[in-house]
Amino acid sequence: MTAIETKHALPSVPVDELGPNEALHRLVDDAIRLLRPKDVVVCDGTAAERNRLESLLVANGTVVRLNQKLWPNSLLARSDPSDVARLEQVTYVCLPDKQDAGPSIKHKYPEEGHREITALMTGAMEGRTMYVAAVSMGPCGGKRSRVFVQITDFPLIILMKHLMTRVLGRDALIELGKYGRFECGLQTVGMPIAAGGTDVPWPCNSTKMICHFPKERRPGVPRVLSFGSGYGGNALLPKKCDLRLAMSDAREEGNLVEHMALMGRDGENGRRYFLAAKPSACGKTNFAMIGTSFLGDDLVRAYEGTDGRLWAFALEKGIFGVAPGTNDETNPEVMSMLRKGDVIFINVAYLPESGSVWWEGMTNAPPAERVRDWQGQEWTPGCGRKAAHANSRFTVSIRNCSKLDPRWDDPDGVPVDAILFGGRRTEHGGVPLVVEYGNTTAGVYGGATLSSEQTAAADGKLGVSRIDPFAMYPFYAYHVGDHCAHWLKVFSQMAHPPRFYSVNWFQKDGAGNFAWPGFVDNDRVLDWIDRRIAGQAKALRTPLGYSPLFDDFDLSGLNIDRATFETLTQPRPQFWLGELDRQAVWFAEVGERLPAVLAERHAELCQLFEEAARAV
Ligand code: OXD
Ligand code: MN
């Protein structure tokens, strides 16, 4: 779509509302010239702002209000069918040297990226209001937190920010004026409104493109530009887009910004904090809720504390969770958070008679009343379509969580005891339920070779398994080999590094049923880890690391016999020789930036599993 002819004068920069930061003024001024909105609103995160935007979205048909008793103050939005997930095929990282991109990145040269995205963005906000929203990724004012200023024309994104992030009000913008630094990005749905024209409920463009410029660090110059989509992972810039920029900056700062959940668990040995790196839609949200206390389900910053331990805090204050499969048994805490209200549902099914919502797996039986699917069509069980989109979502503030960790907003974060890597691998006797890696190198190798079947969180082939290093494959902004080297550097220098584990809840048995009950029963794995760290649990030494023993693992109340447990937990040499072949293919793609110690570990594993295969 090309820009439409301007029928109005450009608005001026709301200087007083932005506070004294010159770079912020420059950002807004440049954005006005490029995007040509009809007016500019500086957001403040207040309830009045929320009410205003909500009414606007209701009037436009973007959202409907749900039954106030069932889902207090909650909304349902239905997206355009082309705008339901992250778009990996049109998400680019623009780097001057192509060699710096590596195999996981869709690369463009910065001039090329700027030229193409600028052409798309020119005049893209005509007839629309441009919102400027500054948020703090991490506790407000924390010395390791980062301020991100997003410019958007989609009010739903601002409402989502209210739930997901700490929106900075006027006072904080004035503080920003004094201390300066912030990150920024532009995002537009890419659908200008002609003078006298009307909007559509979910504006977006059939052309979509996201360009990141991680190496460009000029105050007030956007480092990410997103065109054509209103889906959270593409449009809520501080989430996945700033993850790419922040992971890149963190390398230079010597710490980590990663795609991980953070939770606390009280066990026999007191409270332990766990970080879990899992690819999108592989259960991070459910995992983060099974412990005693919750801190975050998606993004963290981690660094070495003065005590030589790893410390971490969550960057967000809300959850953008996958709805299908969520219910009172699989995740009772999230269900209770949703029932407390202030939720934005996207692409779940609607029950027009009761004003309620539904998704596959929410209840055993489909609703008795009329159902409209995620596209608004009448739906009946057995009609051959899903009622909710497989990547339908809920957005809810963690303030609704009854087990919020008391330190969730501490700018220093919490000390981390263990890092878990886990994907979705369904092979029977394949990736074990849990393995403890024997040392830091083996642990980083485990993260670097994490693999998972693809889910509906991104466009692409469902179910195909790919190596997703540290669950970051779609979020890299620099070479994956350099990221592996960075992890090795961070942890090999640490006086008291955390322990590393691999977990996989998704093995299926010969009949195609899940062999492990998962969800709340995953706590049994955490119990074993807790006792391992305390030196209390025995283990079997295998080429991969340490596996739990049937007699020393809490299986009470589960119908799992010794043979089943051993299939679930012990690495099978034939399976792992196949995995090692796939890893070799991946390492060849990573090329010469793969750290030598990881290649050595690969050779060692090949030798150990070949010996084990001969011994079987
Ligand atoms: C997410 C994702 O939405 O990873 O968190 O796609
Ligand atoms: Mn995620």
Side-chain angles (χ1 to χ4, degrees), residues 7 90 162 167 177 189 192 205 210 222 224 267 350 355 379 411 472 517 546:
K7 291 275 188 306
V90 291
H162 277 223
V167 180
V189 292
N205 195 301
I210 306 171
V224 55
Y350 181 53
W379 180 91
M472 285 290 282
Y546 296 89

Side-chain angles (χ1 to χ4, degrees), residues 86 239-240 259 278-281 284 297-299 475:
R86 276 188 291 100
K239 196 168 181 59
K240 292 303 169 26
H259 189 210
K278 288 164 154 285
S280 309
K284 277 204 311 299
D297 80 326
D298 201 41
L299 305 176
F475 309 121

